[in-house]
Amino acid sequence: MPAAEALSSLVSIVVPCYRQAHFLRSALASISLQTHRLLDVIVVDDGSPDDVASVVHGHAGVRLVRQENRGLPAARNAGLAVARGDFVVFLDADDVLYANGIAAGMEALTTHPAASFAAGGYTMRVGGVLRRNPAEHTGEPAYERMLRSNFVGMHGAVLFRRTALVAVGGFREDLTSCEDFDLYLRMLRFGDLVLHDTIVAEYRRHDSNMSDDAARMLVGYMSALRAQWPHVRHHPALRAAYEAGLRRGRESYGEVLAAQGRRALAGEGFDLWRAARAFALLLRYYPGHFVARALRLAARRAGLALSRGARHSSGAAPDQSVPAPHRIEARRNATARADARAVAPTATVRRVAATAVPRAAALPLAARLSPPPKATESA
């Protein structure tokens, strides 16, 4: 695509909005400042109870699509269905684009005509601190790298070719998180992406961010990755990347979810339903967590037994000159040190636990629960 053609190409920007009308004005303002001027801006009101329409009507040329609340992936697909541009960006209502964001993506796709999408860097605002997250180039094949982890940190920093999006069917609407990760995986099976060095968007972190919901993120991540199993199982390099991705997802989201489940059973905020849900999801998506904890508990008990055995074998009588409470505290400290020595290689224990779980755990749940075929009776 020549540079002149890129400048004359229409780019559609789809902005889904649900309960974020108070952020929407900033998102639309950032779009109006783009140096690439040929834009088709679509706001999808996903059944939002706040007044999305009043914000949209204050920006000339922005189209408004309304639908009943169906979730973020469905809202994005609704915008894609009416998009007029040959290129598409999906910007959440609570994020913003930098002025050269679209132009940088167009330039990258111009110089890499075989790429299905382009991704740049982004900034993340946490409170008053702005952190830069540039795109990282590794040279690893994009599909294999994506299996290991979602290295495209923000979907608002991505510019898609519309034809490539339509070819894979858009976003999976059965996912409530990580639908962007799922989309990248499906697109990279058939195409490629180009990374560029421009910081193109800002991700604003706040209390209602979906990425803070460990349960939802674990389910979405594992569902997206497990859908790739049929395509990688017979390819050693891809299978290794897939298994690394499973471990990463389990440790990134599963450990957080486990901690949330334990907190739900402690203190004044006792919440049995939340804890039960957390542990049920862990049993389904991260069974190795329970194996790892069992190994750590066994190591702790073994360390305690060794510590007691050493004291008994020495035949040393307790120092009665030390007050009883102090002796109790001394024993606690000695036990804690023994426990620390026994369970110090936590990462090693976790890796052993992961390999101890049957390989069938990497298969989709339906495949693991399918009953064996019935034996046929001979006459």
Side-chain angles (χ1 to χ4, degrees):
M1 180 173 55
E5 185 179 347
L7 291 174
S8 62
S9 296
L10 183 65
V11 177
S12 293
I13 304 179
V14 177
V15 186
C17 189
Y18 180 73
R19 295 184 181 274
Q20 293 187 331
H22 54 295
F23 289 119
L24 180 60
R25 198 178 308 277
S26 296
L28 294 179
S30 74
I31 292 172
S32 68
L33 297 175
Q34 293 300 299
T35 57
H36 185 94
R37 303 307 301 172
L38 291 178
L39 301 175
D40 168 38
V41 185
I42 305 157
V43 172
V44 180
D45 180 351
D46 188 32
S48 185
D50 48 14
D51 196 358
V52 174
S54 65
V55 178
V56 172
H57 293 157
H59 293 77
V62 178
R63 290 190 285 155
L64 177 62
V65 175
R66 286 174 165 161
Q67 65 177 27
E68 294 183 358
N69 180 243
R70 295 169 51 205
L72 184 57
R76 289 176 178 162
N77 284 341
L80 177 62
V82 299
R84 299 167 181 164
D86 293 328
F87 303 88
V88 184
V89 170
F90 297 95
L91 181 70
D92 285 353
D94 55 343
D95 297 330
V96 296
L97 290 172
Y98 290 120
N100 62 341
I102 301 297
M106 291 297 293
E107 181 180 355
L109 289 180
T110 298
T111 55
H112 296 81
S116 299
F117 59 104
Y122 65 99
T123 59
M124 178 184 294
R125 185 173 296 279
V126 183
V129 180
L130 194 65
R131 302 173 183 171
R132 290 172 57 89
N133 297 273
E136 297 183 5
H137 307 263
T138 65
E140 185 179 12
Y143 180 56
E144 184 176 334
R145 185 182 175 190
M146 188 63 70
L147 287 168
R148 295 183 187 278
S149 68
N150 181 3
F151 60 90
V152 178
M154 179 188 177
H155 53 266
V158 178
L159 178 69
F160 296 94
R161 295 188 192 275
R162 187 176 183 277
T163 52
L165 270 174
V166 173
V168 298
F171 293 92
R172 273 179 58 186
E173 298 186 8
D174 62 311
L175 295 178
T176 60
S177 70
C178 297
E179 68 286 338
D180 51 344
F181 177 47
D182 172 83
L183 178 66
Y184 303 150
L185 286 167
R186 288 186 287 119
M187 293 185 73
L188 290 175
R189 281 182 48 223
F190 305 104
D192 201 359
L193 87 161
V194 54
L195 297 175
H196 59 86
D197 297 325
T198 305
I199 301 292
V200 301
E202 179 183 318
Y203 176 84
R204 291 190 285 186
R205 196 173 182 87
H206 49 79
D207 292 340
S208 59
N209 283 136
M210 184 187 300
S211 57
D212 290 333
D213 187 337
R216 181 182 293 187
M217 294 299 292
L218 177 65
V219 173
Y221 181 94
M222 300 300 284
S223 298
L225 192 55
R226 284 179 171 178
Q228 299 303 308
W229 173 249
H231 313 295
V232 306
R233 60 188 302 179
H234 299 303
H235 303 275
L238 295 180
R239 180 167 177 161
Y242 169 87
E243 291 173 350
L246 285 179
R247 289 193 297 272
R248 182 184 180 90
R250 286 166 176 160
E251 293 180 1
S252 296
Y253 302 120
E255 293 296 337
V256 175
L257 181 59
Q260 291 175 351
R262 290 192 295 271
R263 284 198 299 271
L265 295 176
E268 297 180 357
F270 182 83
D271 189 337
L272 182 59
W273 183 89
R274 183 178 181 183
R277 177 172 180 263
F279 294 133
L281 289 174
L282 288 170
L283 280 171
R284 177 173 181 179
Y285 293 105
Y286 189 14
H289 168 79
F290 298 100
V291 178
R293 285 192 64 83
L295 289 175
R296 287 198 294 270
L297 180 60
R300 180 176 180 178
R301 290 179 174 175
L304 182 59
L306 288 172
S307 177
R308 288 174 176 171
R311 288 199 300 269
H312 285 301
S313 63
S314 67
D319 184 1
Q320 299 297 334
S321 64
V322 180
H326 290 188
R327 289 201 303 274
I328 293 173
E329 184 63 28
R331 285 198 296 270
R332 287 176 178 170
N333 292 338
T335 302
R337 288 193 296 272
D339 291 350
R341 289 193 298 271
V343 300
T346 304
T348 302
V349 169
R350 191 171 296 159
R351 285 195 295 272
V352 171
T355 58
V357 178
R359 287 187 176 274
L363 295 173
L365 184 65
R368 288 191 278 122
L369 297 183
S370 298
K374 295 182 178 179
T376 55
E377 296 182 359
S378 57

